[in-house]
Amino acid sequence: MTAWVASQRRLAHTIPPWRPAAVLDEWVQKEARPISLRQLTFFARNLTLEKLLTSAEYLRKELPVRLAHRLRDMQSLPYAVVTNSHMSHVYESYYSAFEAFRKARPVKSARDNEEYCALVKRLLEDHLTIIPRLAMGVLECRDLMPTEDMDKLVYTLLRARISRRVIAEHHLALTEAYNAPEVGTRGTSSSENPDFVGQVFLRCNAGEVLNRCGELAQQLVGQAYGSDCQIPEIQLEGHLEATFPYILSHLEYIIGELLRNSVQAVIEHSMGSVNNPPPIKVLVCEAPQHVIFRISDQGGGVPRDVLPHLWSFSKGPRRQSRLRNLNKVPKMAATMQELTFPDLSSVLTASGEKSPQSRHSMKSLTSRPSNLKLGMGLPMSRVYANYWAGSLELHSLEGYGVDQFLHVSKLGNKNEQLSIRASMDGL
Protein backbone atom coordinates (compact mmCIF):
# COMPACT_ATOMS: atom_id res chain seq x y z
CA MET A 1 0.00 0.00 0.00
CA THR A 2 2.85 2.37 0.85
CA ALA A 3 4.51 1.76 -2.53
CA TRP A 4 1.19 2.39 -4.32
CA VAL A 5 0.72 5.70 -2.47
CA ALA A 6 4.26 6.73 -3.32
CA SER A 7 3.75 5.91 -6.99
CA GLN A 8 0.52 7.93 -7.07
CA ARG A 9 2.27 10.90 -5.51
CA ARG A 10 5.03 10.72 -8.11
CA LEU A 11 2.43 10.53 -10.87
CA ALA A 12 0.51 13.48 -9.45
CA HIS A 13 3.72 15.49 -9.40
CA THR A 14 4.26 14.97 -13.13
CA ILE A 15 0.69 15.67 -14.29
CA PRO A 16 0.13 19.32 -15.22
CA PRO A 17 -2.70 20.76 -13.11
CA TRP A 18 -6.05 21.38 -14.74
CA ARG A 19 -6.35 24.76 -16.44
CA PRO A 20 -9.54 26.51 -17.56
CA ALA A 21 -9.74 26.09 -21.33
CA ALA A 22 -11.78 29.23 -21.93
CA VAL A 23 -8.90 31.56 -21.00
CA LEU A 24 -6.58 29.93 -23.51
CA ASP A 25 -9.33 29.72 -26.16
CA GLU A 26 -9.66 33.49 -26.22
CA TRP A 27 -5.97 33.99 -27.03
CA VAL A 28 -5.68 31.08 -29.47
CA GLN A 29 -8.32 32.79 -31.62
CA LYS A 30 -5.91 35.68 -32.13
CA GLU A 31 -3.19 35.47 -34.77
CA ALA A 32 0.44 36.26 -34.10
CA ARG A 33 1.82 39.19 -36.07
CA PRO A 34 5.17 38.24 -37.63
CA ILE A 35 7.77 40.97 -37.97
CA SER A 36 10.85 41.46 -40.17
CA LEU A 37 14.34 42.70 -39.34
CA ARG A 38 13.52 45.88 -41.24
CA GLN A 39 10.46 46.46 -39.06
CA LEU A 40 12.47 45.83 -35.90
CA THR A 41 14.89 48.57 -36.85
CA PHE A 42 12.06 51.04 -37.48
CA PHE A 43 11.22 51.27 -33.78
CA ALA A 44 14.85 51.99 -32.92
CA ARG A 45 15.59 54.75 -35.40
CA ASN A 46 15.24 58.21 -33.82
CA LEU A 47 13.89 56.57 -30.71
CA THR A 48 11.30 58.56 -28.76
CA LEU A 49 9.19 57.74 -25.74
CA GLU A 50 6.18 57.33 -28.01
CA LYS A 51 8.02 54.75 -30.14
CA LEU A 52 9.27 52.96 -27.04
CA LEU A 53 5.74 52.69 -25.62
CA THR A 54 4.45 51.48 -29.00
CA SER A 55 7.11 48.76 -28.94
CA ALA A 56 6.13 47.83 -25.38
CA GLU A 57 2.45 47.54 -26.28
CA TYR A 58 3.24 45.38 -29.30
CA LEU A 59 5.24 43.09 -27.03
CA ARG A 60 2.57 43.08 -24.30
CA LYS A 61 -0.13 41.99 -26.74
CA GLU A 62 2.03 39.64 -28.80
CA LEU A 63 3.73 37.48 -26.16
CA PRO A 64 0.57 35.90 -24.69
CA VAL A 65 -0.75 35.16 -28.20
CA ARG A 66 2.43 33.34 -29.21
CA LEU A 67 2.51 31.43 -25.92
CA ALA A 68 -1.16 30.45 -26.20
CA HIS A 69 -0.69 28.74 -29.56
CA ARG A 70 2.23 26.70 -28.29
CA LEU A 71 0.35 25.74 -25.12
CA ARG A 72 -2.51 24.50 -27.27
CA ASP A 73 0.00 22.42 -29.25
CA MET A 74 1.20 20.81 -26.03
CA GLN A 75 -2.35 20.19 -24.84
CA SER A 76 -2.96 18.12 -27.94
CA LEU A 77 -0.07 15.73 -27.18
CA PRO A 78 -0.66 12.15 -26.04
CA TYR A 79 -1.22 11.90 -22.29
CA ALA A 80 1.95 9.84 -21.77
CA VAL A 81 4.03 12.58 -23.43
CA VAL A 82 2.64 15.63 -21.66
CA THR A 83 2.95 13.91 -18.25
CA ASN A 84 6.67 13.28 -18.76
CA SER A 85 8.42 15.30 -16.06
CA HIS A 86 10.52 17.30 -18.53
CA MET A 87 7.63 18.04 -20.90
CA SER A 88 5.49 18.96 -17.91
CA HIS A 89 8.18 21.41 -16.78
CA VAL A 90 8.11 23.07 -20.21
CA TYR A 91 4.30 23.23 -20.19
CA GLU A 92 4.15 24.71 -16.69
CA SER A 93 6.84 27.27 -17.48
CA TYR A 94 4.96 28.38 -20.56
CA TYR A 95 1.62 28.53 -18.76
CA SER A 96 3.06 30.58 -15.89
CA ALA A 97 4.56 33.02 -18.38
CA PHE A 98 1.27 33.15 -20.31
CA GLU A 99 -0.63 34.05 -17.14
CA ALA A 100 1.91 36.71 -16.19
CA PHE A 101 1.98 38.32 -19.63
CA ARG A 102 -1.77 38.28 -20.25
CA LYS A 103 -2.37 40.01 -16.90
CA ALA A 104 0.27 42.70 -17.50
CA ARG A 105 -1.14 46.22 -17.41
CA PRO A 106 -1.04 48.51 -20.47
CA VAL A 107 2.26 50.36 -20.79
CA LYS A 108 1.42 54.07 -20.84
CA SER A 109 4.49 55.71 -19.33
CA ALA A 110 8.24 55.29 -18.94
CA ARG A 111 7.69 53.99 -15.43
CA ASP A 112 5.17 51.41 -16.67
CA ASN A 113 7.74 50.33 -19.24
CA GLU A 114 10.43 49.83 -16.57
CA GLU A 115 8.07 47.59 -14.58
CA TYR A 116 7.12 45.63 -17.67
CA CYS A 117 10.77 45.19 -18.68
CA ALA A 118 11.56 43.81 -15.23
CA LEU A 119 8.85 41.16 -15.74
CA VAL A 120 10.13 40.30 -19.22
CA LYS A 121 13.73 40.01 -18.06
CA ARG A 122 12.80 37.76 -15.13
CA LEU A 123 10.83 35.37 -17.33
CA LEU A 124 13.54 35.28 -19.98
CA GLU A 125 16.00 34.17 -17.33
CA ASP A 126 13.56 31.63 -15.88
CA HIS A 127 13.09 30.06 -19.32
CA LEU A 128 16.77 29.29 -19.84
CA THR A 129 15.90 25.80 -18.59
CA ILE A 130 13.52 25.16 -21.50
CA ILE A 131 15.91 23.87 -24.19
CA PRO A 132 17.64 21.13 -22.13
CA ARG A 133 14.38 20.04 -20.47
CA LEU A 134 12.58 19.90 -23.83
CA ALA A 135 15.45 17.94 -25.39
CA MET A 136 15.44 15.41 -22.53
CA GLY A 137 11.66 15.06 -22.67
CA VAL A 138 11.76 14.41 -26.41
CA LEU A 139 14.45 11.74 -26.03
CA GLU A 140 12.53 10.01 -23.22
CA CYS A 141 9.24 10.10 -25.16
CA ARG A 142 10.57 9.35 -28.62
CA ASP A 143 8.86 5.96 -28.81
CA LEU A 144 5.48 7.40 -27.79
CA MET A 145 4.94 9.45 -30.97
CA PRO A 146 5.96 9.10 -34.62
CA THR A 147 9.38 10.66 -35.20
CA GLU A 148 8.04 13.08 -37.79
CA ASP A 149 5.37 14.39 -35.40
CA MET A 150 7.79 14.70 -32.49
CA ASP A 151 10.32 16.63 -34.56
CA LYS A 152 7.57 18.88 -35.91
CA LEU A 153 6.59 19.70 -32.33
CA VAL A 154 10.18 20.48 -31.29
CA TYR A 155 10.88 22.63 -34.35
CA THR A 156 7.65 24.55 -33.73
CA LEU A 157 8.37 25.09 -30.03
CA LEU A 158 11.97 26.17 -30.60
CA ARG A 159 11.10 28.48 -33.47
CA ALA A 160 8.40 30.05 -31.29
CA ARG A 161 10.90 30.38 -28.44
CA ILE A 162 13.29 32.26 -30.70
CA SER A 163 10.46 34.52 -31.86
CA ARG A 164 9.51 35.50 -28.32
CA ARG A 165 13.09 36.14 -27.27
CA VAL A 166 13.80 38.22 -30.37
CA ILE A 167 10.99 40.69 -29.80
CA ALA A 168 11.48 40.68 -26.01
CA GLU A 169 15.26 41.21 -26.09
CA HIS A 170 14.85 43.81 -28.84
CA HIS A 171 12.53 45.82 -26.62
CA LEU A 172 14.93 45.48 -23.68
CA ALA A 173 17.70 46.82 -25.95
CA LEU A 174 15.51 49.75 -27.01
CA THR A 175 14.74 50.56 -23.39
CA GLU A 176 18.43 50.50 -22.54
CA ALA A 177 19.15 52.78 -25.49
CA TYR A 178 16.42 55.21 -24.46
CA ASN A 179 17.75 55.33 -20.91
CA ALA A 180 21.38 55.71 -22.02
CA PRO A 181 22.91 58.66 -20.15
CA GLU A 182 25.35 59.61 -22.93
CA VAL A 183 24.33 62.52 -25.10
CA GLY A 184 23.32 61.48 -28.58
CA THR A 185 23.00 57.75 -27.97
CA ARG A 186 19.22 57.55 -28.06
CA GLY A 187 18.01 55.67 -31.07
CA THR A 188 20.69 52.98 -31.05
CA SER A 189 21.44 50.17 -28.64
CA SER A 190 25.14 50.92 -28.41
CA SER A 191 27.11 54.15 -28.54
CA GLU A 192 30.17 52.00 -29.34
CA ASN A 193 28.76 50.78 -32.66
CA PRO A 194 25.91 52.68 -34.35
CA ASP A 195 25.33 49.73 -36.70
CA PHE A 196 23.57 47.96 -33.83
CA VAL A 197 19.90 48.97 -33.73
CA GLY A 198 18.22 47.22 -30.85
CA GLN A 199 19.10 43.55 -31.37
CA VAL A 200 19.71 43.95 -35.10
CA PHE A 201 23.24 44.36 -36.49
CA LEU A 202 22.72 46.29 -39.71
CA ARG A 203 26.08 45.40 -41.26
CA CYS A 204 26.99 41.81 -40.44
CA ASN A 205 30.25 41.31 -42.33
CA ALA A 206 30.65 37.75 -43.64
CA GLY A 207 34.45 37.68 -43.36
CA GLU A 208 34.54 39.13 -39.85
CA VAL A 209 31.96 36.67 -38.54
CA LEU A 210 33.79 33.73 -40.14
CA ASN A 211 37.15 34.81 -38.72
CA ARG A 212 35.71 35.33 -35.25
CA CYS A 213 33.75 32.07 -35.13
CA GLY A 214 36.52 30.13 -36.83
CA GLU A 215 39.10 31.19 -34.27
CA LEU A 216 36.76 30.30 -31.43
CA ALA A 217 35.88 26.91 -32.97
CA GLN A 218 39.56 26.05 -33.37
CA GLN A 219 40.38 26.98 -29.80
CA LEU A 220 37.37 25.20 -28.33
CA VAL A 221 38.21 21.96 -30.14
CA GLY A 222 41.87 22.39 -29.25
CA GLN A 223 40.93 22.65 -25.58
CA ALA A 224 38.89 19.45 -25.84
CA TYR A 225 41.54 17.38 -27.67
CA GLY A 226 44.66 18.67 -25.93
CA SER A 227 47.69 20.68 -26.94
CA ASP A 228 49.22 17.84 -28.99
CA CYS A 229 46.45 17.72 -31.59
CA GLN A 230 46.95 19.49 -34.91
CA ILE A 231 44.21 22.01 -35.65
CA PRO A 232 43.16 22.28 -39.32
CA GLU A 233 43.45 25.64 -41.03
CA ILE A 234 40.27 27.46 -42.05
CA GLN A 235 40.64 29.03 -45.50
CA LEU A 236 38.22 31.77 -46.57
CA GLU A 237 37.45 32.87 -50.13
CA GLY A 238 34.77 34.61 -52.15
CA HIS A 239 32.74 37.69 -51.26
CA LEU A 240 34.13 38.15 -47.76
CA GLU A 241 33.09 41.83 -47.65
CA ALA A 242 29.39 40.96 -48.10
CA THR A 243 27.25 42.69 -45.48
CA PHE A 244 23.63 42.19 -44.47
CA PRO A 245 21.32 42.91 -41.52
CA TYR A 246 20.95 40.06 -39.04
CA ILE A 247 20.78 39.22 -35.37
CA LEU A 248 24.45 38.54 -34.73
CA SER A 249 24.01 35.97 -31.97
CA HIS A 250 21.90 33.81 -34.35
CA LEU A 251 24.51 33.96 -37.12
CA GLU A 252 27.38 33.29 -34.74
CA TYR A 253 25.62 30.23 -33.36
CA ILE A 254 25.03 28.74 -36.83
CA ILE A 255 28.50 29.48 -38.23
CA GLY A 256 30.15 28.45 -34.96
CA GLU A 257 28.39 25.08 -34.89
CA LEU A 258 29.17 24.33 -38.54
CA LEU A 259 32.85 25.22 -38.19
CA ARG A 260 33.20 23.41 -34.87
CA ASN A 261 31.72 20.24 -36.41
CA SER A 262 34.11 20.47 -39.35
CA VAL A 263 37.19 21.11 -37.21
CA GLN A 264 36.33 18.19 -34.94
CA ALA A 265 35.59 15.84 -37.85
CA VAL A 266 38.88 16.64 -39.60
CA ILE A 267 40.89 16.13 -36.40
CA GLU A 268 39.28 12.75 -35.69
CA HIS A 269 39.58 11.61 -39.31
CA SER A 270 43.27 12.62 -39.45
CA MET A 271 44.35 10.96 -36.19
CA GLY A 272 47.34 8.70 -36.77
CA SER A 273 48.36 10.48 -39.95
CA VAL A 274 51.85 11.97 -40.20
CA ASN A 275 50.58 14.68 -42.55
CA ASN A 276 49.02 17.97 -41.53
CA PRO A 277 45.21 17.81 -41.42
CA PRO A 278 43.55 19.05 -44.63
CA PRO A 279 42.18 22.60 -44.46
CA ILE A 280 38.53 23.52 -44.09
CA LYS A 281 37.47 25.68 -47.02
CA VAL A 282 34.76 28.31 -46.71
CA LEU A 283 33.31 30.04 -49.76
CA VAL A 284 31.05 33.09 -49.49
CA CYS A 285 28.80 33.96 -52.44
CA GLU A 286 26.83 37.23 -52.46
CA ALA A 287 23.70 37.05 -54.62
CA PRO A 288 21.14 39.85 -55.14
CA GLN A 289 18.83 38.58 -52.37
CA HIS A 290 20.95 36.08 -50.43
CA VAL A 291 24.39 35.49 -49.00
CA ILE A 292 25.45 31.85 -49.30
CA PHE A 293 28.10 30.18 -47.15
CA ARG A 294 29.61 26.86 -48.23
CA ILE A 295 31.76 25.09 -45.63
CA SER A 296 33.69 22.11 -47.03
CA ASP A 297 35.82 19.69 -45.04
CA GLN A 298 37.64 16.39 -45.51
CA GLY A 299 36.55 14.90 -42.20
CA GLY A 300 35.34 11.55 -43.53
CA GLY A 301 31.68 12.43 -43.93
CA VAL A 302 28.75 11.69 -41.64
CA PRO A 303 28.58 8.10 -40.30
CA ARG A 304 25.93 6.02 -42.05
CA ASP A 305 24.00 5.32 -38.81
CA VAL A 306 23.79 9.05 -38.03
CA LEU A 307 22.93 10.45 -41.48
CA PRO A 308 19.19 9.49 -41.56
CA HIS A 309 18.63 11.27 -38.22
CA LEU A 310 20.92 14.23 -38.80
CA TRP A 311 18.17 16.85 -38.42
CA SER A 312 16.13 15.01 -35.81
CA PHE A 313 15.91 15.99 -32.16
CA SER A 314 14.31 12.70 -31.14
CA LYS A 315 15.98 9.91 -33.12
CA GLY A 316 19.53 8.78 -33.70
CA PRO A 317 22.19 6.74 -31.89
CA ARG A 318 23.75 7.35 -28.48
CA ARG A 319 20.45 8.28 -26.80
CA GLN A 320 21.66 7.46 -23.27
CA SER A 321 24.89 9.45 -23.59
CA ARG A 322 22.92 12.44 -24.91
CA LEU A 323 20.56 12.22 -21.93
CA ARG A 324 23.49 12.04 -19.51
CA ASN A 325 25.12 15.07 -21.12
CA LEU A 326 21.88 17.07 -21.14
CA ASN A 327 21.52 16.40 -17.41
CA LYS A 328 24.78 18.31 -16.97
CA VAL A 329 23.33 21.38 -18.71
CA PRO A 330 20.61 22.85 -16.45
CA LYS A 331 20.37 26.04 -18.52
CA MET A 332 20.99 26.77 -22.17
CA ALA A 333 20.62 29.95 -24.20
CA ALA A 334 21.77 28.38 -27.52
CA THR A 335 24.49 30.95 -28.15
CA MET A 336 28.08 30.40 -29.23
CA GLN A 337 29.27 32.50 -26.30
CA GLU A 338 28.12 30.05 -23.64
CA LEU A 339 30.67 27.52 -24.93
CA THR A 340 33.58 29.87 -24.31
CA PHE A 341 36.28 28.80 -21.88
CA PRO A 342 37.33 31.49 -19.37
CA ASP A 343 40.59 32.18 -21.19
CA LEU A 344 38.80 32.50 -24.54
CA SER A 345 36.29 35.13 -23.44
CA SER A 346 37.67 37.77 -25.79
CA VAL A 347 37.58 35.71 -28.99
CA LEU A 348 34.09 36.71 -30.08
CA THR A 349 35.10 40.36 -29.84
CA ALA A 350 38.42 39.94 -31.63
CA SER A 351 37.45 42.46 -34.29
CA GLY A 352 37.96 45.23 -31.75
CA GLU A 353 34.34 45.91 -30.89
CA LYS A 354 32.36 44.80 -27.91
CA SER A 355 29.33 42.85 -29.11
CA PRO A 356 26.28 44.64 -27.66
CA GLN A 357 24.09 41.58 -28.19
CA SER A 358 25.93 39.91 -25.31
CA ARG A 359 24.04 42.08 -22.85
CA HIS A 360 20.66 40.93 -24.13
CA SER A 361 21.16 37.28 -25.14
CA MET A 362 21.44 36.13 -21.49
CA LYS A 363 24.67 34.38 -22.46
CA SER A 364 26.39 35.40 -19.23
CA LEU A 365 23.83 33.38 -17.26
CA THR A 366 24.63 30.09 -18.98
CA SER A 367 27.72 28.00 -19.61
CA ARG A 368 28.40 24.46 -20.76
CA PRO A 369 31.51 22.43 -21.57
CA SER A 370 32.18 22.46 -25.31
CA ASN A 371 33.05 18.74 -25.37
CA LEU A 372 29.58 17.66 -24.22
CA LYS A 373 27.86 16.13 -27.24
CA LEU A 374 24.16 16.96 -27.00
CA GLY A 375 23.15 15.86 -30.50
CA MET A 376 21.25 19.07 -31.22
CA GLY A 377 23.77 21.53 -32.70
CA LEU A 378 22.82 20.95 -36.33
CA PRO A 379 19.02 20.79 -35.91
CA MET A 380 19.15 23.88 -33.66
CA SER A 381 21.23 25.67 -36.31
CA ARG A 382 18.59 24.83 -38.92
CA VAL A 383 15.88 26.29 -36.66
CA TYR A 384 17.86 29.53 -36.46
CA ALA A 385 18.53 29.54 -40.23
CA ASN A 386 14.89 28.93 -41.16
CA TYR A 387 13.62 31.54 -38.72
CA TRP A 388 14.52 34.47 -40.99
CA ALA A 389 13.53 32.58 -44.18
CA GLY A 390 17.00 31.15 -44.77
CA SER A 391 18.05 27.52 -45.12
CA LEU A 392 20.72 25.06 -44.01
CA GLU A 393 21.60 21.91 -45.94
CA LEU A 394 24.35 19.31 -45.66
CA HIS A 395 25.74 16.93 -48.28
CA SER A 396 27.94 14.08 -47.08
CA LEU A 397 30.39 12.00 -49.12
CA GLU A 398 31.03 8.95 -46.97
CA GLY A 399 34.73 8.36 -46.48
CA TYR A 400 35.69 11.82 -47.74
CA GLY A 401 33.94 14.79 -46.18
CA VAL A 402 30.99 17.15 -45.98
CA ASP A 403 29.70 20.26 -47.74
CA GLN A 404 27.43 22.48 -45.63
CA PHE A 405 25.36 25.24 -47.26
CA LEU A 406 23.87 28.16 -45.33
CA HIS A 407 21.58 30.61 -47.18
CA VAL A 408 20.92 33.92 -45.41
CA SER A 409 18.44 36.54 -46.60
CA LYS A 410 20.41 39.67 -47.49
CA LEU A 411 17.72 42.35 -47.50
CA GLY A 412 16.17 42.00 -44.02
CA ASN A 413 12.68 42.16 -45.51
CA LYS A 414 11.62 38.57 -44.77
CA ASN A 415 9.17 38.06 -41.93
CA GLU A 416 10.05 35.66 -39.13
CA GLN A 417 8.79 32.19 -40.03
CA LEU A 418 6.13 31.41 -37.42
CA SER A 419 3.47 28.76 -37.02
CA ILE A 420 0.69 31.33 -36.94
CA ARG A 421 -1.93 29.11 -35.36
CA ALA A 422 -1.75 26.03 -33.16
CA SER A 423 -0.05 23.60 -35.51
CA MET A 424 -0.59 20.18 -33.99
CA ASP A 425 -4.34 19.80 -34.52
CA GLY A 426 -3.87 17.40 -37.40
CA LEU A 427 -1.60 15.01 -35.54
Side-chain angles (χ1 to χ4, degrees):
M1 185 66 174
T2 303
W4 182 86
V5 171
S7 68
Q8 292 303 300
R9 287 177 176 172
R10 285 195 299 272
L11 180 62
H13 180 71
T14 64
I15 299 174
W18 179 84
R19 303 291 191 182
V23 175
L24 201 61
D25 288 343
E26 174 189 346
W27 290 90
V28 170
Q29 294 304 312
K30 301 177 182 180
E31 290 194 355
R33 294 175 291 168
I35 198 166
S36 68
L37 287 169
R38 188 174 292 177
Q39 289 170 312
L40 284 175
T41 61
F42 167 78
F43 285 109
R45 287 300 190 188
N46 302 314
L47 188 59
T48 63
L49 179 59
E50 182 181 3
K51 279 190 173 183
L52 186 66
L53 298 183
T54 300
S55 172
E57 278 295 281
Y58 168 77
L59 186 64
R60 185 183 70 86
K61 295 174 181 177
E62 191 71 8
L63 285 177
V65 173
R66 297 189 182 197
L67 280 166
H69 286 283
R70 304 293 70 85
L71 284 167
R72 181 52 48 86
D73 285 343
M74 296 195 73
Q75 287 179 345
S76 68
L77 294 173
Y79 181 77
V81 174
V82 80
T83 54
N84 172 274
S85 61
H86 301 298
M87 301 298 281
S88 178
H89 171 86
V90 174
Y91 179 84
E92 279 303 292
S93 297
Y94 282 174
Y95 206 100
S96 297
F98 167 72
E99 285 289 286
F101 284 135
R102 78 176 182 87
K103 294 177 181 178
R105 297 180 304 171
V107 181
K108 298 181 178 180
S109 66
R111 183 172 180 178
D112 289 345
N113 183 60
E114 291 299 324
E115 293 178 358
Y116 184 66
C117 285
L119 170 66
V120 170
K121 190 176 296 186
R122 176 175 63 80
L123 290 173
L124 285 177
E125 294 177 13
D126 288 348
H127 282 204
L128 289 170
T129 62
I130 292 296
I131 292 180
R133 294 299 292 271
L134 177 62
M136 285 189 284
V138 165
L139 287 172
E140 290 182 357
C141 298
R142 67 179 189 172
D143 296 325
L144 302 176
M145 283 177 64
T147 301
E148 181 181 343
D149 293 347
M150 183 65 84
D151 283 332
K152 179 181 178 182
L153 169 70
V154 180
Y155 271 88
T156 299
L157 291 178
L158 289 178
R159 192 164 56 241
R161 176 188 181 275
I162 293 171
S163 79
R164 295 190 301 273
R165 297 188 82 87
V166 163
I167 60 177
E169 292 178 3
H170 188 71
H171 181 69
L172 293 179
L174 296 188
T175 298
E176 183 176 327
Y178 183 81
N179 293 333
E182 295 89 350
V183 176
T185 60
R186 287 190 175 184
T188 64
S189 66
S190 173
S191 58
E192 298 170 356
N193 193 330
D195 286 329
F196 273 94
V197 179
Q199 280 289 290
V200 183
F201 192 27
L202 297 178
R203 296 181 60 81
C204 280
N205 180 283
E208 290 179 2
V209 172
L210 285 167
N211 278 316
R212 203 158 54 237
C213 292
E215 182 181 352
L216 178 60
Q218 289 172 318
Q219 295 193 44
L220 286 170
V221 176
Q223 288 272 2
Y225 283 83
S227 58
D228 293 336
C229 94
Q230 289 184 299
I231 305 297
E233 179 188 1
I234 298 176
Q235 298 177 351
L236 309 182
E237 58 180 328
H239 303 142
L240 301 181
E241 296 305 315
T243 60
F244 49 92
Y246 216 75
I247 294 183
L248 190 54
S249 60
H250 293 187
L251 186 64
E252 286 178 341
Y253 181 86
I254 301 169
I255 296 292
E257 281 291 334
L258 300 183
L259 289 175
R260 195 160 63 100
N261 288 345
S262 287
V263 171
Q264 182 174 310
V266 170
I267 288 175
E268 293 184 352
H269 190 62
S270 303
M271 282 183 176
S273 172
V274 296
N275 300 319
N276 292 331
I280 295 161
K281 298 183 178 181
V282 183
L283 172 67
V284 180
C285 176
E286 184 178 16
Q289 297 189 22
H290 293 87
V291 175
I292 304 160
F293 298 81
R294 185 188 69 189
I295 300 175
S296 304
D297 66 58
Q298 297 178 45
V302 179
R304 183 172 295 186
D305 64 329
V306 175
L307 191 58
H309 314 294
L310 198 63
W311 305 107
S312 175
F313 285 95
S314 59
K315 287 294 184 181
R318 299 183 287 275
R319 171 176 174 264
Q320 290 303 321
S321 65
R322 289 165 64 187
L323 279 170
R324 284 194 299 271
N325 289 342
L326 284 163
N327 265 307
K328 300 175 185 176
V329 185
K331 294 182 178 182
M332 184 176 172
T335 64
M336 190 66 174
Q337 293 91 337
E338 67 188 351
L339 291 170
T340 309
F341 285 92
D343 57 334
L344 304 181
S345 58
S346 63
V347 173
L348 278 176
T349 58
S351 62
E353 64 191 33
K354 182 178 180 182
S355 297
Q357 92 281 356
S358 66
R359 295 196 302 273
H360 314 300
S361 66
M362 305 296 172
K363 64 99 179 177
S364 61
L365 301 178
T366 62
S367 63
R368 56 189 172 100
S370 65
N371 59 343
L372 279 183
K373 295 185 178 181
L374 307 180
M376 57 188 300
L378 271 179
M380 190 72 209
S381 295
R382 176 175 269 186
V383 173
Y384 273 126
N386 292 347
Y387 179 68
W388 292 115
S391 65
L392 176 60
E393 301 294 337
L394 182 148
H395 301 285
S396 174
L397 295 174
E398 188 175 8
Y400 184 79
V402 159
D403 284 333
Q404 303 171 94
F405 294 88
L406 171 66
H407 289 237
V408 173
S409 176
K410 177 184 172 182
L411 304 179
N413 61 346
K414 301 291 187 181
N415 280 348
E416 49 185 345
Q417 302 299 295
L418 298 179
S419 298
I420 304 298
R421 290 193 174 275
S423 61
M424 307 297 290
D425 295 341
L427 300 184

